[in-house]
Amino acid sequence: MAIAAWTLLLALIAWRSGAEVEAQVPGPRTRYQPNWASLDQRPLPQWYDEAKVGIFLHYGVYSVPSFGSEWFWTNWKNLRNPDYIRFMQRNYKPDFTYQEFADQFTAELFNATQWALLFRDSGARYVVLTSKHHDGFTLWPSKSSFGWNSVDVGPKRDIIKELAAAVRKESDLKFGLYYSLFEWFNPLWTDDKLHLLMQQHFVERKVRPEQMELVEQYLPEIIWSDGDWEAPAKYWRSEEFIAWLYNDSPVRDTVVTNDRWGFGTACMHGDFYNCADRFNPGILQAHKWENAFTLDRKSWGQRFDVSLSDFMTSKEVIKEIVTTVSCNGNVLINVGPTKYGTILPIFEERLRDMGRWLKTNGEAIYGSVPWIYQNDTVTPNVWYTQRQNSSNGNVTVYAFVLEYPYDTNELDIYPLGKEINIFRNVLLTGIDLGTGGEILNHQSTQVVMLGMEDTKINWTSDHNRLHIEFPPKHHIDKRGLDFAWAFKITIT
C-alpha cells in the first residue's frame, strides 16, 4: 500500500503530541481522586520514559533452596509438585519447614556498593528490588511482619536500606521496590478469602501499613505491584493508595506505578503497563509499557538446577532492548542473587555486555521515541527509533541491524517505508520531500555508524531505499561492536 507523505506527517505529529503530554510532570498542587477515571489522567513522569532500561532483583528466602523457582514454597506445599517433594526428601529432614530456610538466608557476602556499581556499569537507569514476595518475607524490618523479615532472622540486615543508599550514592539510577499484595499462607489473607473477600483484615493490618512504610522510609520512585490476581482492586483499596501516592506521598511528583492492582487492571490502569511477564508485543503500543524478563528463562529467583541453555545470550538481551524500545516500551531485566548476597558471574557478564553496548549505542536508546515504523517493512531484523533536534528541526532516525550481513557486508533499508508517494511542497517534520530529486540524498542526509563515527560510511539511495555499505568487519570487531549495529541517519 502506498503511503503519502502527508500521512507520515500526521502520524509524527500525533505521536509527538502524545509524547509531549506524557512528558509533563504533574505539579505538587495537582489532586487526583481515588478512582481510575481520575488516576489515569496523570501524566507519566518524564524520567521513566527516557530511562528505557532497568534491573529487576528477585531476592529472598527462596534463594536458599535455589531450586525450581521463587515459587518454591507453594510448588512444594500447595501444588505438591513431585520434583519439589523429591528434592526435599533427598536433602532435608522429614519435618523441615519453609520457615527454617530463613536461618540459612545469610547474605554474608552481600555488598550493596558492589551491586550498585554493577548496575551503573550495566547502563541501566533504574533498579527494582523485591521488598516482599508471595512468601511474605520482607527485606526490611516490617512492623507488620515480626519474626519474618531480614532483620529479625537470616541476614539481620535491612537489605532495602543498604541497597537504596548505595544506589543513590554510587549512581544516578532511580530506586524502586516490588511489593506482592498477597501472601500464599498468611492467615489474615486466607481468612479474608474464606469470607469471600467481604472483609479486608489482611489489607488493613498488613498490606496498607507495609506499603506506607516502604514509601515513607525508602522513597521509592517505582512501585512495582504484583500478586493482585486473586482479588479485585476494590479489595486491595488500590485506588486509595495510588491517589495518596500521587497527591500526598513524599515521592508524589516522580513516582511511577505499574498495572497490577487487582484482577482486570493489567493493561488497563497504571503509569506503565506490564500486561504479562515477558510481555513484548512487537508492535507499537500507545500507552507506555514495560517488558519485564528474566536472564534465566525459567525463573525469577536464583536456582542451581540450571544449564547454560537456560540463560539468554547477550545478543538476545540486546534484541529485547531494541525491539521493546522501538515500540514505546522499557525493559526490566531480572537477576536472581544467591543466598550469600552475590550475583553469579553469568549474570554479571550479561549485564556488563549490555553496558558496553549501551555505552556505544545509548544515544539511540535513552530518551528516544518510536519512529513512524518500528521495524523495516522490507529487510528483516532492522528496527528503528528516532529523536528530533528541536533547535534546528533536523530529524535523526536510528536503524538497528540485529543480524550482520556477513555474505555481502551491505544492506538495503527503507526507513520511510517500502512505498511512498511524494507530493510537492509537503513537509515531513520540516523536511521538504517534494521538491524533486531523491528523498534521501547526500545534500540533506548524513549516515553514521555508532561506534565508527570517524569512519566514512558509503551509501547510496534510490527513492526511499537506502543502500548501506558496512565498514570492513575487522575494523568493526576491533572496536568491540557486537550484538546489534546502529546507524544514525540525520535528515536536514
Side-chain angles (χ1 to χ4, degrees):
M1 179 183 295
I3 299 178
W6 56 268
T7 305
L8 301 181
L9 172 61
L10 292 177
L12 271 186
I13 290 175
W15 168 256
R16 290 205 178 103
S17 297
E20 288 170 1
V21 170
E22 284 203 338
Q24 298 171 6
V25 176
R29 297 183 182 277
T30 303
R31 301 293 298 182
Y32 297 94
Q33 300 304 310
N35 59 72
W36 293 123
S38 176
L39 299 173
D40 288 344
Q41 299 303 309
R42 180 184 187 245
L44 176 72
Q46 186 173 353
W47 77 261
Y48 181 83
D49 185 41
E50 295 181 346
K52 306 300 184 188
V53 182
I55 301 295
F56 211 178
L57 295 164
H58 274 66
Y59 191 41
V61 171
Y62 44 84
S63 304
V64 175
S66 292
F67 178 85
S69 80
E70 72 289 350
W71 281 47
F72 184 95
W73 194 3
T74 194
N75 286 338
W76 171 33
K77 288 298 185 180
N78 272 345
L79 301 181
R80 305 295 296 171
N81 184 297
D83 292 336
Y84 290 78
I85 293 174
R86 191 159 44 247
F87 174 82
M88 293 304 298
Q89 289 174 341
R90 289 175 175 175
N91 297 287
Y92 296 90
K93 61 186 180 181
D95 57 346
F96 192 90
T97 66
Y98 183 82
Q99 286 84 347
E100 291 179 84
F101 281 130
D103 288 328
Q104 301 174 40
F105 180 48
T106 49
E108 67 264 36
L109 299 179
F110 171 61
N111 185 318
T113 298
Q114 288 181 353
W115 284 22
L117 292 174
L118 172 60
F119 303 151
R120 181 199 66 186
D121 293 346
S122 77
R125 296 294 174 87
Y126 60 100
V127 59
V128 178
L129 172 68
T130 47
S131 67
K132 183 198 77 168
H133 203 255
H134 311 323
D135 61 2
F137 187 88
T138 69
L139 295 187
W140 86 100
S142 167
K143 298 175 184 176
S144 306
S145 189
F146 178 77
W148 193 233
N149 66 71
S150 64
V151 172
D152 289 344
V153 65
K156 306 293 180 67
R157 299 164 70 174
D158 187 336
I159 301 296
I160 295 178
K161 181 180 179 180
E162 291 186 39
L163 185 59
V167 166
R168 288 163 175 155
K169 178 183 178 182
E170 302 295 341
S171 73
D172 295 326
L173 274 70
K174 301 288 187 181
F175 182 77
L177 291 171
Y178 163 110
Y179 181 82
S180 172
L181 296 172
F182 93 129
E183 300 172 19
W184 290 309
F185 300 101
N186 191 299
L188 288 172
W189 165 243
T190 55
D191 187 58
D192 279 1
K193 285 203 297 183
L194 287 174
H195 286 82
L196 303 179
L197 305 180
M198 299 302 291
Q199 65 185 31
Q200 296 169 300
H201 295 164
F202 180 60
V203 177
E204 294 164 354
R205 303 175 191 175
K206 188 68 158 65
V207 175
R208 189 50 39 83
E210 289 188 334
Q211 288 174 324
M212 300 290 283
E213 261 187 57
L214 287 172
V215 173
E216 293 176 340
Q217 290 187 28
Y218 304 107
L219 307 178
E221 291 180 284
I222 306 109
I223 298 293
W224 213 100
S225 182
D226 195 21
D228 62 310
W229 52 83
E230 291 195 11
K234 293 298 182 184
Y235 168 79
W236 299 116
R237 298 181 182 174
S238 296
E239 292 156 297
E240 296 174 14
F241 175 65
I242 297 173
W244 173 78
L245 268 182
Y246 292 172
N247 292 327
D248 302 309
S249 78
V251 290
R252 61 186 177 272
D253 292 338
T254 55
V255 70
V256 294
T257 63
N258 67 337
D259 57 354
R260 301 186 183 187
W261 296 101
F263 59 67
T265 62
C267 262
M268 292 289 292
H269 305 292
D271 291 312
F272 61 91
Y273 295 166
N274 289 117
C275 299
D277 291 349
R278 304 174 180 87
F279 178 69
N280 186 357
I283 58 174
L284 181 65
Q285 303 294 299
H287 193 281
K288 189 66 187 181
W289 61 284
E290 185 179 76
N291 175 9
F293 65 91
T294 56
L295 293 180
D296 171 358
R297 304 174 204 272
K298 298 180 181 179
S299 175
W300 297 84
Q302 189 269 331
R303 64 191 180 103
F304 284 121
D305 56 320
V306 64
S307 63
L308 182 61
S309 62
D310 290 324
F311 291 96
M312 293 182 69
T313 65
S314 295
K315 183 177 179 63
E316 289 171 327
V317 172
I318 299 306
K319 179 180 179 180
E320 285 294 312
I321 295 173
V322 169
T323 56
T324 298
V325 172
S326 295
C327 296
N328 195 32
N330 282 17
V331 290
L332 187 62
I333 303 167
N334 183 77
V335 170
T338 70
K339 70 171 187 175
Y340 308 106
T342 58
I343 294 176
L344 293 176
I346 192 165
F347 289 129
E348 180 180 353
E349 180 190 48
R350 300 298 187 263
L351 295 183
R352 292 198 182 279
D353 282 348
M354 180 178 78
R356 179 167 54 86
W357 187 86
L358 284 168
K359 187 174 183 180
T360 298
N361 300 283
E363 70 169 84
I365 297 293
Y366 307 123
S368 67
V369 297
W371 177 232
I372 301 167
Y373 302 102
Q374 282 59 69
N375 58 317
D376 200 271
T377 56
V378 179
T379 304
N381 297 309
V382 175
W383 294 73
Y384 297 105
T385 62
Q386 68 114 352
R387 68 174 67 238
Q388 184 179 32
N389 187 331
S390 57
S391 62
N392 56 23
N394 293 350
V395 171
T396 300
V397 180
Y398 296 94
F400 296 92
V401 179
L402 299 184
E403 295 294 336
Y404 196 90
Y406 287 102
D407 292 337
T408 63
N409 222 48
E410 301 175 358
L411 197 68
D412 288 337
I413 61 174
Y414 296 77
L416 299 180
K418 180 179 180 181
E419 298 180 31
I420 177 170
N421 292 329
I422 305 303
F423 297 92
R424 187 171 184 80
N425 296 327
V426 174
L427 302 183
L428 172 62
T429 63
I431 305 167
D432 191 344
L433 295 181
T435 57
E438 297 294 345
I439 305 168
L440 304 170
N441 58 69
H442 285 272
Q443 287 71 45
S444 64
T445 308
Q446 293 181 334
V447 178
V448 174
M449 185 176 186
L450 297 187
M452 301 285 291
E453 287 83 359
D454 57 350
T455 301
K456 183 179 183 298
I457 301 299
N458 295 319
W459 61 273
T460 58
S461 65
D462 179 11
H463 199 43
N464 54 322
R465 177 179 63 86
L466 190 62
H467 179 81
I468 297 175
E469 297 181 19
F470 283 65
K473 186 64 168 63
H474 61 284
H475 290 178
I476 294 175
D477 291 345
K478 186 177 180 180
R479 301 286 180 94
L481 306 183
D482 202 356
F483 311 129
W485 301 264
F487 288 92
K488 178 179 180 180
I489 306 164
T490 303
I491 312 171
T492 59

